[in-house]
Amino acid sequence: MAPPQRSLPILLLLLLVATAAAAAAQDAPFVVAHKKVALSRPGPGVERLAITLDLYNQGSATAYDVSLNDDSWPPEAFQLVSGTTSKIVDKLDPGATASHNFVLETKVQGRFQGSPATVRYRVPTKAALQEAYSTPMFPLDILAERPPQQNKTFPDSYVSMCLLLVLVHDFGISNSCTSPFQAKRLVGKYGSLVSVVSFVGVFIYLVASPSKSSAAKGSKKRR
């Protein structure tokens, strides 16, 4: 069974779809607004919120003077750093879309439940303005601890195995280090011997390199 906080947006979305179908059947505009928020950390102790509001006219007639307003963010907690919280579109034809973006920042930690944005538009056949609301958003955990991202750098064991395989190849044995997964299998098979053998291999390589270069020079002189 879905939690109540997640069931409410689903029910509202189904209601919007049903109302849009009814509006299309009555040859009238029906404006739907989708609200989404992306969180990021530009610095320590600061949460940045990128808000995107997408407008869709799901009806069969044009909506005029479409105004979008999302001023539910408390000014004592959220600071506007880019864009505006409102927008006006002259008209929105059937099937047309429009988008609006703005950015907020906050230093207040905690759980925040935002409100839907308000949409108002004019229909030529009606005197009163039509009013609608955007899809709701889930609660935001501002400045909450998040799991660390996986480190995509190769581990030291992989580097050691690559070095070992390069040395083996240099001494005439056909082999290659093609992927971390191959190296991982080798490391799992030989365990801690990888590091020891790699250091020994480096030492042998340094000792053998002068002799190899001397032999190459001797062959050139004989020619």
Side-chain angles (χ1 to χ4, degrees), residues 122-130:
R122 182 173 59 84
V123 179
T125 57
K126 297 181 179 180
L129 289 176
Q130 305 301 302

Side-chain angles (χ1 to χ4, degrees), residues 16-212:
L16 288 174
V17 173
T19 310
Q26 296 175 3
D27 192 21
F30 184 78
V31 180
V32 177
H34 177 57
K35 180 178 180 178
K36 54 185 176 181
V37 181
L39 301 179
S40 62
R41 299 275 178 87
V46 178
E47 190 87 73
R48 178 169 292 176
L49 296 81
I51 296 92
T52 302
L53 293 161
D54 296 318
L55 293 173
Y56 309 88
N57 185 357
Q58 301 291 341
S60 56
T62 301
Y64 296 91
D65 301 328
V66 182
S67 65
L68 177 65
N69 191 11
D70 189 21
D71 59 355
S72 62
W73 308 91
E76 62 273 12
F78 297 94
Q79 180 183 2
L80 184 67
V81 296
S82 177
T84 60
T85 59
S86 61
K87 182 179 182 177
I88 296 178
V89 180
D90 293 336
K91 68 175 184 176
L92 204 61
D93 294 325
T97 63
S99 184
H100 181 60
N101 303 275
F102 61 95
V103 179
L104 303 172
E105 281 188 359
T106 181
K107 297 180 180 179
V108 180
Q109 185 178 14
R111 193 174 180 85
F112 178 76
Q113 176 64 67
S115 301
T118 304
V119 182
R120 294 182 177 89
Y121 56 95
R122 182 173 59 84
V123 179
T125 57
K126 297 181 179 180
L129 289 176
Q130 305 301 302
E131 186 173 290
Y133 297 94
S134 72
T135 54
M137 63 181 194
F138 293 117
L140 302 175
D141 292 324
I142 305 297
L143 293 174
E145 293 185 1
R146 298 170 188 167
Q149 297 181 350
Q150 290 184 350
N151 188 4
K152 297 185 181 299
T153 58
F154 295 147
D156 293 337
S157 57
Y158 172 62
V159 177
S160 300
M161 180 57 71
C162 285
L163 178 59
L164 176 60
L165 294 178
V166 169
L167 293 174
V168 171
H169 182 274
D170 191 75
F171 280 103
I173 301 175
S174 178
N175 208 332
S176 63
C177 184
T178 58
S179 71
F181 304 102
Q182 293 180 358
K184 186 176 180 180
R185 288 197 297 267
L186 291 172
V187 171
K189 182 178 180 181
Y190 295 106
S192 59
L193 290 176
V194 172
S195 299
V196 177
V197 175
S198 60
F199 284 115
V200 174
V202 171
F203 177 75
I204 295 175
Y205 179 78
L206 294 175
V207 172
S209 294
S211 60
K212 290 177 65 178

